[in-house]
Amino acid sequence: MTFNDNNRPIYLQIADKICDDIMLGTLREEQRIPSVRDYAAMMEVSINTAMRSISYLETSGILQNRRGIGFFVASGAEETIKKMRRETFLKEECEYFFRKLMTMGFTPLQLRAMYTQYLTDNSK
């Protein structure tokens, strides 16, 4: 895996990839995921880094450990991921986005018009 975000720890980038796989349906709720060792090999990282990703997702309620069997996608994982990503977006990305809009002089009406046009252009 190529890690693109130098400001974000690798274990979180791996966790994002697993979440993307869940959201895209590659991994389904209640499905067993590859072992930590397999993830480490696939991502070309140490087992400790892979385990840190899995532990983070387990703590977040996205994965669950079934003792002696392995890790599985938790029931309700998709909704949990959506909620986490919305919160992160609002806390981190919106602040930057709104500050940029303000410094460029966009009004709320202009932003609404641009967003409406974006939705129209990308609805299909």
Side-chain angles (χ1 to χ4, degrees), residues 1-120:
M1 178 175 167
T2 303
F3 300 103
N4 298 324
D5 189 348
N6 293 330
N7 295 324
R8 192 161 167 83
I10 290 174
Y11 84 95
L12 291 177
Q13 292 182 58
I14 294 169
D16 285 343
K17 166 77 169 88
I18 294 169
C19 288
D20 288 345
D21 288 345
I22 292 168
M23 297 304 290
L24 294 171
T26 306
L27 293 172
R28 292 181 198 75
E29 293 184 3
E30 303 296 328
Q31 180 181 349
R32 186 176 185 273
I33 67 166
S35 70
V36 174
R37 188 175 304 278
D38 289 342
Y39 258 114
M42 287 187 309
M43 301 295 162
E44 299 176 354
V45 297
S46 72
I47 292 173
N48 289 337
T49 299
M51 188 62 217
R52 192 167 180 196
S53 301
I54 301 296
S55 294
Y56 169 77
L57 293 173
E58 181 182 21
T59 301
S60 299
I62 295 167
L63 298 179
Q64 64 183 146
N65 185 4
R66 295 187 186 162
R67 194 167 174 86
I69 301 174
F71 287 92
F72 289 75
V73 177
S75 178
E78 285 186 46
E79 198 55 42
T80 302
I81 294 166
K82 284 180 190 176
K83 182 180 177 189
M84 284 176 52
R85 287 184 170 179
R86 285 180 184 140
E87 288 173 3
T88 300
F89 177 76
L90 290 172
K91 287 179 184 175
E92 297 172 10
E93 296 178 40
C94 275
E95 175 68 26
Y96 175 79
F97 177 70
F98 288 140
R99 188 177 327 108
K100 286 293 189 187
L101 289 173
M102 185 177 69
T103 62
M104 291 184 283
F106 285 104
T107 67
L109 289 175
Q110 290 170 317
L111 178 60
R112 181 183 176 129
M114 287 186 293
Y115 184 59
T116 300
Q117 186 63 50
Y118 174 84
L119 292 176
T120 301

